[in-house]
Amino acid sequence: MAKKEVILSGMQPTGKLHLGNYEGALKNWVRLQHEYDCFYCIVDWHSLTSDYEDTSDLQERIKEMTIDYLAAGLDPERCTIFVQSDVKEHAELHLLFSMIIPTPWLERVPSYKEKKEELGLDSYGFLGYPLLQAADILIYKANYVPVGKDQAPHVELTREVARRFNNLYAEVFPEPQELLTTFPVVPGVDGRKMSKSYNNDICLADSPELTASKLKKMFTDPQKLRKGDPGRPDICPVYDLVQIYNPDYEEVCRRCKTGELGCVEDKTNLAKFMNAALAPVREKRRELEAKPDYIEEVLKNGAGRARKRAAETMREVKEAMHLR
Ligand code: TRP
């Protein structure tokens, strides 16, 4: 049997995942585990580049995220789920890359400039963020990296790093490609992109009641004040969710436009469909919450598998560089 191609992706340990993470990334990861040799990494070191002040709940965030991964259908028998800092080789490769990559390559990465201004970040590690990401990817010789569009420059830099290393020493690394998939838009309850930091998210872990009450407050077409007013689904964030979860979305669209359908009824129906869609994930989540030892074991086994692969690559890297 031909060896499966390798996939690596990662998420920062933000804690409980929301519908944006689920629809935008996780569902795709679940599909990919059947066709590829997948490594899914919880990048705790990356999270320290911005969230270094309060790390008191870091382990809790890692645990919650692992639970969401498993509840969403990642199968630890089929893919490798692990925590970045459990595999020290990532740090070693990052260090070696930091010797051979010119600083301007990192300074011109768009996320560096943006976040530097936006969040006032200025650390050495923060500049090296994409280089650590390159190490995450290349240490498994990944062929594909499933990520959102915003990450494309990081994967591009990863290819440049691979090329530079291969040219300087020996052909060790393949050049990975991003795997962009078209995801549905998942707006948060305020109409902006769903994001934990905007506090506008609906989590996989939320109860059906909380989900319904969040939806009740969700922004709609500001010109539709009451039932009877014609609505504009094309500018209404609720409608983006309706398209994902309500199978009758075309009928909803028609009835909204005529004014026949009020926002309250629309949202009540949406909550019903959304909660039904999430019920199996939430059920599994509850089961997993009761098994903290199992969660630990998944991460431990994942780290073991990842470490083995990472160590093999590091042997080649060191040989190529004439290191011990
Ligand atoms: N930078 C990614 C993000 O913010 C997280 C990440 C770290 C990652 N290492 C990675 C993603 C390797 C893909 C592959 O989403």
Side-chain angles (χ1 to χ4, degrees), residues 185-194 200 218-219 236-238 240:
V185 187
V186 185
V189 293
D190 60 0
R192 293 188 291 173
K193 182 181 168 178
M194 189 177 284
N200 65 358
M218 185 158 179
F219 288 29
C236 175
V238 172
D240 288 322

Side-chain angles (χ1 to χ4, degrees), residues 5-9 32 36-40 142-146 179:
E5 289 186 293
V6 177
I7 279 194
L8 178 128
S9 198
L32 293 167
Y36 296 91
D37 186 9
C38 294
F39 290 83
Y40 297 127
N143 305 99
Y144 300 102
V145 187
L179 206 62

